[in-house]
């Protein structure tokens, strides 16, 4: 038997924009999940990220970052929290939701064989959670061995098909023609997911977590400034943004979001709806669109605003311009 | 030193050299002698002043106290909720809860409880089993009839489904627009109230305060578990996965040490909370905290899901009908290193394996671990091990592994296995007790309470008769004899817990732990084995009648 459990008394009805965003990180052993999670924690930039791992044994956090440890929970000096799920995802999730103050973003590092759908389904069901993204890591050199393995092949395939974004890690270890083949193979397995390559296990946080805050969006002139991005990112990714007095009909907006160009990895922002005072929050990760009608206008924002990040050389910026004018 | 000689209609000892007797002498909570009155009387001092004959059991049949090798402490605390199952059940406090044979009866019982509750309190019920109520599905409108202002949740007996009323759906914000997989919908697109699997149940459980973990951790839950054991003749029971923080160990230790606590407990450490080397250290430390009535030091690993949930890891050709959702709970590579580390540290392991791929990988892991670090008499146990075939049982025997098979599954899920999950041939050899014995594998059988009710006589009945709920005989050739089945609920599980030198049979030197039966299981019609009445138990020489 394997039973879950929950502690008590969540807030009855949170305003929708208070939902805790959840990112699920999957990938078989050796794909680089731990490195990625460490990278996130080091570059949190004031965001209080809560990371849930299976056990601390996996996640050697720099000792200099650790402020205190209490039972299953590590508190870091930058405000982030890392906790062990103790084999019980549901209990840990309840704890995260009841935590005061509530973290800004929840990241679950799933076990190497977890079915990410079983985790992301909770975020779809739980009104206090918002599924931000399911991200699969693939070890470029080890992929063939894991997908072909009689015992874990199906788990690895399931991780890919359940993902919005697939990070092909250690891609520098493969000759470029092999990398292309690998990308095609993964695309065939998971046609819905968008792929990025990573050379050093480092992916910008705005891609992993949708790093731009409302304040960032308001300061459009300097979007996402001040991050400690390794210079490398700038060569791999391209940003696009717009701020304009645009209003859309909701159906029309949804139709436009269905036609987003290839190479787009994330799109985020707030859009004003036509003929009414309503606003929607727009979250796109890969090809999954999340539209959420806001009860009131996002604080201080007067015009529609959208920012996007995509793969340099593959993101058709002109297509984005055409869609949102 | 007081010696008490108990006379009985019959004593079934489970000891090969003296399988039956009429008298047992007890001194200091231990068995002093077994045999005829004349034989055991030889232990009395001249004059017999310190020795008395007790006729309480003169028309009873004594067996070794039953040992439940796979159950959960939650089986006690679950009674804080309202029972609405199909079968009669007795609560830990001895109250008979009549089985409910249709939805109207379920509604009537819930109404009764509703009337006693505070206005805002949620009403939570458990044990509902739609397998037996085929006329129509319980839905939210049924439950709205009970009350539409308080949230109501009816947990199904398998714990993977629940049915809730409209108020509970509102609290979880489920409506026709919700895009959630486990929220069942009617033809009109509206939620029916039935919620499938944890993801869909989570928002309701969170808002209604259904907290399974606390059921197993409270003092009341621990006490109720003892009562559940007592009522079915169990004198030693496992709690087969527990995080065991030291403060909880203190509580369990002090409660079980009370003379009136009616059972010995074997809480088993969850191995999934820390790296294997830390778990090994924790288990060894816990071992040192064992007491007479609380034994610690073993660990539990869960490798896969369940067959009826289609989440067990299956070898070719996989599931019969229905999608394969087989999941590993731990990557096979990591399972192998975990087994190796724990075996090397000398830690005793209980490993949950349901599907035959899970058992195969685990057997291989144990083989490698033992090759590296020979560990004579390790007695690691494959728990459930429901689909092992003869070849796997032979490897299991060769490696010195034990199995604890889920005999109650035959009755509760057997029809589903035959028709849906694994198909006729494999269903007929599911929980293959006869094959395990034929291949020489140490065998125990279990209930996994509260998944199915604890009751060793019922568990033995399942292994003997292999009857499903619909009355089908599931694999006649895997039936075992009553003697073998009784051994699999006494000495068999005691062996899997490394406790067979202390409990599990009625032999000189062992603890005076007895199950006291109204009738002789070896002479009744095997089809009625489960119906034999129980007087109560004896624990360490202490008489514990069921009130």
């Amino acid at each position: 038997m394997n039973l879950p459990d929950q502690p008590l008394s969540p807030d009855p009805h949170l305003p929708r924009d208070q939902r805790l965003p959840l990112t699920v990180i999957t990938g078989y052993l050796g794909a680089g999940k731990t490195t990625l999670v460490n990278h996130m924690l080091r570059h949190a930039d004031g965001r209080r990220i809560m990371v849930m791992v299976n056990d601390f044994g996996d996640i050697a956090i720099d000792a200099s970052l650790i402020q205190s440890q209490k039972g299953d929970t590590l508190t870091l000096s930058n405000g982030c929290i890392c906790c062990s799920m103790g084999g019980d995802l549901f209990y840990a999730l309840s704890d995260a939701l009841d935590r005061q103050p509530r973290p800004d973003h929840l990241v679950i590092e799933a076990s190497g064989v977890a079915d990410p759908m079983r985790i992301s389904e909770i975020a779809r069901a739980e009104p206090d959670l918002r599924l931000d993204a399911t991200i699969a890591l693939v070890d470029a050199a080890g992929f063939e061995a894991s997908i072909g393995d009689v015992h874990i092949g199906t788990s690895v395939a399931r991780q890919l098909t359940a993902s919005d974004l697939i990070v092909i890690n250690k891609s520098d270890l493969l000759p470029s023609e092999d990398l292309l083949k690998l990308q095609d193979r993964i695309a065939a397995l998971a046609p819905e997911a968008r792929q990025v390559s990573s050379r050093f296990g480092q992916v910008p946080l705005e891609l992993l977590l949708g790093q731009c805050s409302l304040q960032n969006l308001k300061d459009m002139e300097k979007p996402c400034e001040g991050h400690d991005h390794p210079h490398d990112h700038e060569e791999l990714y391209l940003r696009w943004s717009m701020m304009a007095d645009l209003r859309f009909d909701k159906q029309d907006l949804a139709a436009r979001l269905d036609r987003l160009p290839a190479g787009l990895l994330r799109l985020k922002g707030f859009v004003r709806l036509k003929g009414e005072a309503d606003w929607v929050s727009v979250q796109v990760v890969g090809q999954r669109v999340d539209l959420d009608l806001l009860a009131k206008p996002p604080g201080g924002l007067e015009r529609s605003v959208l920012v996007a990040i995509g793969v340099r050389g593959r993101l058709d910026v002109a297509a984005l311009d055409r869609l949102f004018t | 030193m007081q010696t008490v000689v108990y006379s009985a209609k019959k004593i079934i000892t489970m000891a090969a050299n003296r399988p039956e007797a009429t008298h047992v002498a007890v001194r200091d909570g231990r068995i002093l002698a077994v045999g005829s009155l004349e034989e055991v009387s030889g232990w009395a001092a001249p004059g017999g002043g310190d020795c008395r004959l007790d006729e309480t059991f003169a028309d009873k049949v004594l067996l070794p106290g039953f040992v439940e090798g796979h159950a959960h402490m939650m089986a006690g605390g679950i009674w804080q909720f309202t029972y609405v199952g199909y079968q009669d059940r007795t609560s830990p406090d001895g109250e008979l809860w009549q089985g409910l044979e249709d939805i109207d009866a379920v509604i009537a019982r819930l109404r009764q409880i509703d009337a006693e509750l505070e206005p805002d309190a949620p009403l939570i019920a458990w044990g509902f089993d739609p397998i037996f109520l085929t006329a129509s599905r319980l839905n939210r409108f049924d439950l709205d009839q009970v009350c539409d202002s308080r949230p109501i949740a009816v947990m199904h007996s398998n714990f993977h489904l629940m049915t809730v009323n409209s108020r509970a759906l509102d609290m979880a914000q489920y409506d026709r627009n919700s895009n959630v997989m486990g929220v069942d919908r009617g033809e009109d697109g509206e939620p029916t109230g039935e919620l499938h699997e944890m993801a869909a149940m989570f928002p309701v459980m969170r808002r209604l305060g259904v907290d399974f973990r606390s059921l197993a951790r409270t003092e009341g839950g621990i006490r109720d578990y003892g009562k559940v054991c007592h009522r079915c003749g169990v004198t030693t029971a496992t709690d087969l996965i527990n995080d065991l923080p030291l403060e909880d160990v203190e509580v369990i230790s002090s409660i079980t040490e009370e003379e009136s606590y009616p059972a010995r407990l074997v809480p088993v450490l969850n191995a999934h909370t820390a790296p294997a080397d830390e778990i090994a250290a924790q288990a060894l430390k816990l071992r040192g905290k064992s007491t007479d009535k609380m034994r610690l030091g073993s660990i539990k690993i869960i490798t896969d899901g369940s067959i009826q949930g289609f989440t067990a890891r299956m070898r070719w050709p996989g599931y019969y009908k229905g999608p394969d959702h087989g999941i590993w709970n731990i990557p096979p590579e990591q399972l192998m290193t975990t087994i190796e580390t724990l075996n090397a540290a000398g830690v005793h392991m209980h490993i949950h394996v349901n599907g035959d791929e899970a058992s195969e990988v685990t057997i291989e892991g144990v083989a490698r671990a033992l090759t590296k670090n020979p560990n004579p008499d390790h007695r690691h146990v494959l728990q459930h091990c429901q689909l092992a075939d003869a070849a796997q049982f032979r490897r299991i025997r060769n490696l010195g592994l034990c199995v604890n098979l889920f005999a109650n599954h035959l009755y509760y899920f057997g029809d589903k296995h035959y028709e849906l999950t694994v198909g006729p041939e494999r269903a007929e050899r599911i929980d293959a007790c006869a094959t395990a014995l034929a291949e020489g594998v140490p065998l125990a059988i279990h209930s996994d309470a509260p998944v199915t009710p604890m009751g060793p006589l019922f568990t033995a009945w399942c292994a003997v008769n292999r009857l499903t709920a619909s009355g089908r005989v599931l694999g006649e050739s895997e039936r075992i004899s009553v003697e073998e089945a009784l051994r699999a609920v006494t000495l068999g599980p005691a062996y899997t817990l490394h406790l067979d030198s202390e409990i599990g049979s009625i032999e000189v030197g062992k603890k005076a732990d007895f199950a006291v039966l109204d009738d002789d299981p070896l002479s009744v019609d095997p089809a009625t084995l489960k119906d034999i009445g129980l007087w109560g138990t004896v624990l360490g020489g202490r008489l514990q009648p069921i009130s």
Side-chain angles (χ1 to χ4, degrees):
Chain A
M1 196 185 71
N2 193 6
L3 284 170
D5 34 36
Q6 293 72 39
L8 324 174
S9 66
D11 305 331
H13 286 277
L14 285 172
R16 297 287 276 177
D17 54 5
Q18 301 234 346
R19 293 177 300 165
L20 175 60
L22 169 68
T23 300
V24 184
I25 310 272
T26 74
Y28 194 59
L29 305 176
K33 295 194 299 287
T34 302
T35 315
L36 187 86
V37 165
N38 259 312
H39 170 73
M40 276 182 185
L41 291 172
R42 272 199 303 275
H43 298 93
D45 285 346
R47 200 174 253 237
R48 286 169 307 121
I49 301 171
M50 179 164 184
V51 175
M52 303 205 304
V53 298
N54 274 310
D55 64 61
F56 292 143
D58 299 335
I59 182 155
I61 293 173
D62 303 349
S64 62
L65 266 178
I66 299 173
Q67 193 177 61
S68 63
Q69 172 163 11
K70 196 181 156 207
D72 291 341
T73 306
L74 286 178
T75 305
L76 309 191
S77 48
N78 63 5
C80 291
I81 297 158
C82 186
C83 76
S84 143
M85 289 185 271
D88 196 321
L89 170 67
F90 294 95
Y91 190 77
L93 262 179
S94 264
D95 269 359
L97 285 167
D98 292 342
R99 201 174 180 87
Q100 293 298 335
R102 192 176 271 188
D104 298 322
H105 202 113
L106 184 62
V107 175
I108 294 182
E109 184 197 330
S111 94
V113 283
D115 180 353
M117 286 284 279
R118 297 176 80 85
I119 304 174
S120 59
E121 268 306 311
I122 306 165
R124 282 184 223 274
E126 171 52 56
D128 295 349
L129 283 172
R130 176 177 70 76
L131 176 64
D132 184 68
T134 304
I135 301 173
L137 266 78
V138 166
D139 172 5
F143 179 75
E144 283 304 333
S146 62
I147 194 82
D149 185 283
V150 61
H151 298 309
I152 55 128
T154 51
S155 299
V156 172
R158 217 180 274 155
Q159 288 173 355
L160 297 179
T161 53
S163 293
D164 302 304
L165 295 177
I166 297 173
V167 178
I168 301 180
N169 202 5
K170 308 177 194 174
S171 56
D172 51 317
L173 300 181
L174 279 193
S176 59
E177 66 268 31
D178 288 1
L179 182 61
L180 282 174
K181 266 189 224 157
L182 178 61
Q183 287 166 338
D184 286 348
R185 179 138 159 71
I186 291 175
L189 281 164
E192 300 285 318
R194 295 270 159 96
Q195 299 180 19
V196 297
S197 296
S198 148
R199 273 185 272 177
F200 305 106
Q202 296 188 349
V203 182
L205 251 67
E206 61 181 295
L207 185 53
L208 297 172
L209 304 180
Q211 178 77 339
C212 286
S213 66
L214 179 60
Q215 191 58 46
N216 290 139
L217 291 172
K218 282 193 278 185
D219 302 341
M220 278 286 296
E221 286 75 19
K222 299 182 245 170
C224 302
E225 204 180 40
H227 300 308
D228 179 21
H229 298 142
H231 195 68
D232 194 39
H233 293 156
E234 305 306 321
E235 298 164 13
L236 288 170
Y237 302 105
L238 182 67
R239 289 195 193 78
W240 170 92
S241 64
M242 74 101 198
M243 180 183 256
D245 197 13
L246 285 175
R247 293 174 189 221
F248 294 99
D249 174 81
K250 198 177 173 193
Q251 253 100 38
D252 177 37
L253 177 63
R256 284 166 198 262
L257 290 169
D258 254 359
R259 301 199 303 271
L260 290 170
L264 180 113
L265 300 170
R266 260 187 191 271
L267 175 81
K268 173 177 174 140
F270 297 95
V271 173
R272 199 158 182 180
L273 293 183
K274 225 174 220 173
E276 40 195 326
D278 288 340
W279 287 74
V280 280
S281 148
V282 178
Q283 297 271 358
V284 180
V285 185
Q287 301 199 49
R288 193 168 48 78
V289 178
D290 183 85
L291 282 185
D292 198 41
L293 202 59
L294 298 179
K296 52 181 186 181
L301 206 61
E302 283 171 9
R303 294 184 289 168
S304 294
V305 54
L306 286 171
V307 294
I309 181 168
V311 182
R312 185 178 291 276
R314 286 178 62 201
L315 176 62
D316 183 352
V317 179
L320 278 174
D321 284 335
R322 282 195 301 277
L323 277 174
F324 299 104
T325 50
Chain B
M1 231 177 300
Q2 168 110 56
T3 301
V4 183
V5 173
Y6 295 99
S7 63
K9 189 162 78 183
K10 183 176 183 182
I11 300 173
I12 300 171
T13 67
M14 297 292 150
N17 48 358
R18 182 158 285 189
E20 287 180 13
T22 54
H23 290 76
V24 56
V26 174
R27 181 186 287 173
D28 281 343
R30 300 170 75 184
I31 296 162
L32 178 68
V34 190
S36 64
L37 178 61
E38 194 187 352
E39 286 171 319
V40 307
S41 297
W43 284 94
D50 61 348
C51 183
R52 70 180 172 85
L53 179 66
D54 188 318
E55 302 271 356
T56 310
F57 306 136
D59 64 343
K60 304 289 175 193
V61 175
L62 298 190
L63 262 77
F66 295 131
V67 181
E68 175 49 270
H70 189 148
H72 300 271
M73 191 91 87
M74 208 187 97
I78 191 77
W79 283 93
Q80 290 170 21
F81 304 141
T82 302
Y83 176 68
V84 291
Y86 181 80
Q87 272 105 356
D88 291 355
R89 292 277 280 270
T90 305
S91 78
D93 290 318
E95 194 180 345
L96 176 71
W97 289 72
Q98 225 123 42
L100 305 176
E101 298 190 357
D102 55 41
I103 286 175
D104 287 342
V106 172
I107 293 171
R109 172 159 305 160
L110 292 174
R111 276 200 176 130
Q112 218 178 322
I113 303 297
D114 176 76
E116 299 162 10
L117 282 180
E118 298 289 313
D120 295 331
L123 172 50
I124 299 157
W126 67 285
F128 180 73
D129 198 341
I131 291 178
F132 300 106
L133 274 63
T134 46
S136 65
R137 292 295 275 191
L138 181 72
N139 64 39
R140 66 171 161 139
F141 302 110
D142 298 324
L143 298 178
D144 288 346
Q145 289 178 45
V146 175
C147 183
D148 54 12
S149 59
R150 81 167 79 244
I152 301 176
V154 175
M155 185 67 78
H156 293 207
S157 61
N158 62 13
F159 293 97
H160 288 272
L161 268 78
M162 59 164 53
T163 308
V164 304
N165 70 346
S166 300
R167 175 81 186 103
L169 287 173
D170 284 347
M171 287 172 76
Q173 300 177 29
Y174 285 149
D175 57 29
R176 61 180 303 118
N177 300 314
S178 317
N179 177 26
V180 180
M181 213 193 288
V183 177
D184 184 56
R185 287 155 195 286
E187 281 170 15
D188 59 357
E190 296 287 340
T192 61
E194 205 170 282
L195 307 176
H196 298 224
E197 295 301 331
M198 263 316 291
M201 296 182 341
F202 176 78
V204 169
M205 294 175 74
R206 199 171 156 247
R207 283 163 182 76
L208 269 57
V210 182
D211 180 350
F212 287 126
R213 178 173 300 198
S214 77
L215 294 181
R217 294 182 67 185
T218 59
E219 214 179 297
I222 298 167
R223 289 188 195 285
D224 281 346
Y225 189 53
K227 293 177 188 169
V228 166
C229 296
H230 173 223
R231 292 201 165 273
C232 60
V234 168
T235 50
T236 299
T238 49
D239 174 24
L240 215 67
I241 194 159
N242 191 319
D243 289 353
L244 291 175
L246 287 181
E247 62 267 27
D248 287 23
V249 173
E250 297 296 325
V251 175
I252 300 170
S253 172
S254 68
I255 291 177
T256 51
E257 279 312 282
E258 291 169 12
E259 204 199 353
S260 63
Y261 194 82
R264 306 178 197 280
L265 295 189
V266 184
V268 173
L269 177 68
N270 178 1
H272 296 280
T273 62
D277 53 342
E278 286 174 29
I279 290 294
Q282 197 184 342
L284 295 174
K285 197 170 145 199
L286 284 169
R287 188 189 287 174
K289 295 195 175 291
S290 293
T291 65
D292 182 47
K293 284 167 74 184
M294 176 191 70
R295 295 306 172 91
L296 299 166
S298 299
I299 63 94
K300 165 101 176 264
I301 300 171
I302 298 174
T303 67
D304 68 342
S306 72
I307 302 166
Q308 69 274 24
F310 296 90
T311 51
R313 290 292 319 192
M314 301 279 281
R315 288 189 303 189
W316 190 88
Y319 288 97
Y320 180 52
K321 287 174 183 165
D324 186 336
H325 292 302
I327 45 163
W328 289 109
N329 190 53
I330 173 173
E333 252 178 277
Q334 197 183 332
L335 173 65
M336 300 260 180
T337 57
T338 299
I339 290 173
E340 187 187 318
T341 305
L342 290 163
N343 178 69
V347 175
H348 178 237
M349 290 182 261
H350 295 279
I351 309 176
H352 157 126
V353 291
N354 259 321
D356 55 2
E357 186 191 6
S359 44
E360 181 175 78
V361 169
T362 303
I363 291 166
E364 179 59 27
V366 172
R368 289 188 204 174
L370 290 173
T371 306
K372 241 178 172 163
N373 296 95
N375 182 358
D377 203 25
H378 57 80
R379 303 191 203 178
H380 302 315
V381 188
L382 300 187
Q383 293 285 349
H384 304 323
C385 200
Q386 299 199 75
L387 284 168
D389 59 10
Q392 284 195 352
F393 279 118
R394 285 189 283 272
R395 275 196 95 191
I396 287 168
R397 171 202 61 208
N398 290 346
L399 292 166
L401 283 161
C402 313
V403 297
N404 190 354
L405 302 183
F406 198 165
N408 285 20
H409 235 259
L410 295 163
Y411 176 78
Y412 284 100
F413 303 97
D415 292 313
K416 197 171 174 188
H417 293 322
Y418 188 94
E419 288 152 17
L420 280 180
T421 62
V422 297
E425 308 92 311
R426 287 179 298 172
E428 289 189 343
R429 65 158 175 78
I430 205 163
D431 295 294
C433 298
T435 301
L437 289 177
E439 298 297 350
V441 177
L443 173 72
I445 51 181
H446 68 270
S447 69
D448 200 10
V451 175
T452 73
M454 191 190 295
L457 282 174
F458 176 80
T459 303
W461 174 87
C462 288
V464 168
N465 295 282
R466 294 185 69 92
L467 278 175
T468 68
S470 75
R472 169 186 280 131
V473 175
L474 200 63
E476 212 172 334
S477 61
E478 290 295 347
R479 283 175 162 174
I480 58 176
S481 71
V482 174
E483 289 95 323
E484 289 165 333
L486 292 176
R487 191 181 167 95
V489 294
T490 53
L491 196 57
Y495 180 85
T496 69
L497 301 173
H498 280 286
L499 291 175
D500 57 309
S501 64
E502 300 177 53
I503 58 170
S505 62
I506 301 179
E507 288 182 81
V508 177
K510 286 197 169 184
K511 294 182 191 302
D513 291 1
F514 310 133
V516 185
L517 277 58
D518 292 338
D519 219 332
D520 176 9
L522 296 177
S523 22
V524 300
D525 174 359
T528 64
L529 185 57
K530 64 181 168 53
D531 306 318
I532 295 175
L534 270 166
W535 175 90
T537 60
V538 176
L539 188 80
R542 184 174 181 274
L543 270 53
Q544 306 183 137
I546 295 171
S547 52

